Amino acid sequence: MDNVYIESLRKKVKKALAADKNRYRHTLGVADTAACLAMRYGVDVQRAYVAGLLHDCAKCVPDTQKIQECEAWGLDISPYERKSPYLLHAKLGAEYAKRLYAIDDPEICSAIASHTTGKPAMTRLEEIIFLADYIEPRRNQASDLAEVRKQAFVDIRRAIYTVTADTLSYLKSREQTIDPMTEQTYRYYAAIFEKDGKDQTV
Ligand code: DGI
Ligand code: FE
Ligand code: FE
């Protein structure tokens, strides 16, 4: 991966997200934040940057098209995704990364696929994209962002524990459908800390 290649990906993503300028700005924020977290956790900075650039590449596709494309490409659609088709932008984005952006790095694709719900036992790159999406500088919704941002650079798994707990209570308060994967992610990261209060794996 060199800078010319990454620049070509950036331009392509900008076009794919042209319908929503804020989405493109958010994307750049996620890519930069992912690169910073990669420096902290010893992950390849360019892979993290590229995964950040592409994480929402399917976001601006209409929901009906998301469903059609997933079906056409044989990607499973769970009942939860049928109910909230916007969730599919993660899975479909991973497929776009492969098919439209020629990404042949499976971990970049899996980081894109799991960026919305997370999943138990994420790789460090997957954890970085999951968290960068939540803490990038333009985000301003979540209540404890300042604390999570700090935590992200101290103990990424604890930050994921905090974020998934907050997301679940947000979804419950709005009576939104909860994808079982979101719940499983929370339980996995909660268990790390509820055992002994300290993450042994960082
Ligand atoms: O695409 P972004 O907006 O940058 O961020 P994202 O892909 O993390 O999507 C965020 C939204 O996804 C946020 O409003 C919470 C929602 N979400 C996460 N897990 C679930 C969920 N929504 C539902 N309905 N069910 C889930 O399990
Ligand atoms: Fe997203
Ligand atoms: Fe995002």
Side-chain angles (χ1 to χ4, degrees):
M1 264 193 259
D2 61 16
N3 289 332
V4 174
Y5 169 70
I6 292 175
E7 186 59 10
S8 72
L9 289 179
R10 187 192 60 74
K11 285 188 180 148
K12 207 164 161 179
V13 170
K14 188 178 185 184
K15 275 192 198 141
L17 301 178
D20 181 355
K21 275 223 167 65
N22 286 332
R23 181 61 46 186
Y24 175 64
R25 292 192 190 111
H26 158 72
T27 288
L28 294 182
V30 173
D32 285 335
T33 304
C36 293
L37 287 168
M39 291 173 201
R40 158 66 180 88
Y41 291 104
V43 166
D44 184 280
V45 171
Q46 292 193 324
R47 286 172 83 211
Y49 188 86
V50 165
L53 261 189
L54 294 178
H55 84 285
D56 271 341
C57 68
K59 187 82 179 182
C60 291
V61 170
D63 283 346
T64 48
Q65 189 183 333
K66 285 192 189 87
I67 291 171
Q68 277 168 8
E69 289 185 340
C70 284
E71 284 175 348
W73 289 337
L75 304 175
D76 281 343
I77 304 177
S78 73
Y80 308 94
E81 291 166 335
R82 291 239 177 240
K83 236 177 158 181
S84 309
Y86 69 90
L87 292 170
L88 289 171
H89 79 277
K91 185 180 281 188
L92 188 61
E95 199 65 19
Y96 280 6
K98 264 183 252 168
R99 291 175 185 257
L100 310 182
Y101 296 85
I103 301 293
D104 59 6
D105 179 331
E107 205 187 340
I108 292 180
C109 294
S110 70
I112 298 169
S114 60
H115 86 264
T116 302
T117 61
K119 64 183 181 187
M122 286 187 273
T123 65
R124 203 32 63 92
L125 178 60
E126 290 166 347
E127 288 177 344
I128 284 173
I129 298 305
F130 180 79
L131 204 59
D133 190 26
Y134 197 88
I135 66 167
E136 66 93 2
R138 297 182 67 85
R139 288 278 201 219
N140 55 12
Q141 300 280 322
S143 55
D144 49 359
L145 259 181
E147 185 52 33
V148 174
R149 282 177 170 137
K150 200 163 129 189
Q151 233 172 43
F153 287 88
V154 177
D155 183 341
I156 192 168
R157 295 183 161 208
R158 184 171 275 283
I160 292 173
Y161 171 33
T162 308
V163 162
T164 49
D166 283 357
T167 298
L168 278 179
S169 60
Y170 167 83
L171 292 170
K172 282 176 186 161
S173 74
R174 305 205 149 210
E175 295 180 8
Q176 298 247 17
T177 329
I178 293 172
D179 189 311
M181 193 58 84
T182 303
E183 196 104 42
Q184 283 173 37
T185 308
Y186 165 71
R187 271 197 246 115
Y188 176 87
Y189 285 89
I192 294 172
F193 298 100
E194 283 163 9
K195 235 187 311 176
D196 53 16
K198 212 163 125 237
D199 185 359
Q200 305 292 335
T201 58
V202 173

